[in-house]
Amino acid sequence: MTSVRTALAHRVEPAPFTALVAAGDLACITAFVLLGVTVGHGGGDPGVDPGHVAVTVLPFAVGWAVTSLLAGVYARSTYASAKRAVVRTVPAWVGAALVAQALRATAAVPGGAAVTFFAVSVLVTLALLLPWRVAVSVLAS
């Protein structure tokens, strides 16, 4: 039986660089939420209610934590190629957005689920994540 450590060893490069990449990913996801809060239907200053921002980011961060590991976006081979970074990041983010919508559909997470919000979250966050991930692949090589 394969241990969790062995399974993750092929999907995550254990290095400080990976932590930096993960922080950049989280920054992209948070930027999407901040855009929605300030430009979208929130209409106010996100600094006024950081709890709202955190609660909105959380289901997306949880979704990304799960799907990014499954997709291997933190693997050495992903860092080595811009094309591979894009090919792994797109389905990982679509999956993360689906997880986020599933969480938002529960009573435990406010916000509710909506097909239109799913589509917006996929498109806008990919517009932020993909350039970052391509830049990571360039920096890593």
Side-chain angles (χ1 to χ4, degrees):
M1 185 169 171
T2 304
S3 71
V4 172
R5 175 176 268 176
T6 304
L8 286 177
H10 299 292
R11 298 184 184 275
V12 177
E13 175 66 24
F17 185 70
T18 298
L20 175 67
V21 174
D25 292 345
L26 187 57
C28 291
I29 294 165
T30 302
F32 156 69
V33 170
L34 289 172
L35 281 169
V37 169
T38 58
V39 177
H41 45 90
D45 178 12
V48 172
D49 191 1
H52 173 70
V53 172
V55 167
T56 306
V57 167
L58 187 62
F60 291 100
V62 167
W64 183 248
V66 171
T67 61
S68 66
L69 293 177
L70 293 173
V73 300
Y74 297 110
R76 179 180 296 190
S77 61
T78 303
Y79 297 152
S81 161
K83 181 180 177 183
R84 195 171 298 125
V86 169
V87 166
R88 289 186 180 175
T89 300
V90 170
W93 181 251
V94 171
L98 284 169
V99 170
Q101 290 301 306
L103 291 171
R104 290 170 59 93
T106 68
V109 179
V115 173
T116 53
F117 184 56
F118 168 76
V120 168
S121 68
V122 167
L123 295 174
V124 172
T125 307
L126 281 176
L128 298 167
L129 269 177
L130 290 178
W132 163 243
R133 283 315 200 116
V134 168
V136 164
S137 68
V138 170
L139 289 172
S141 57

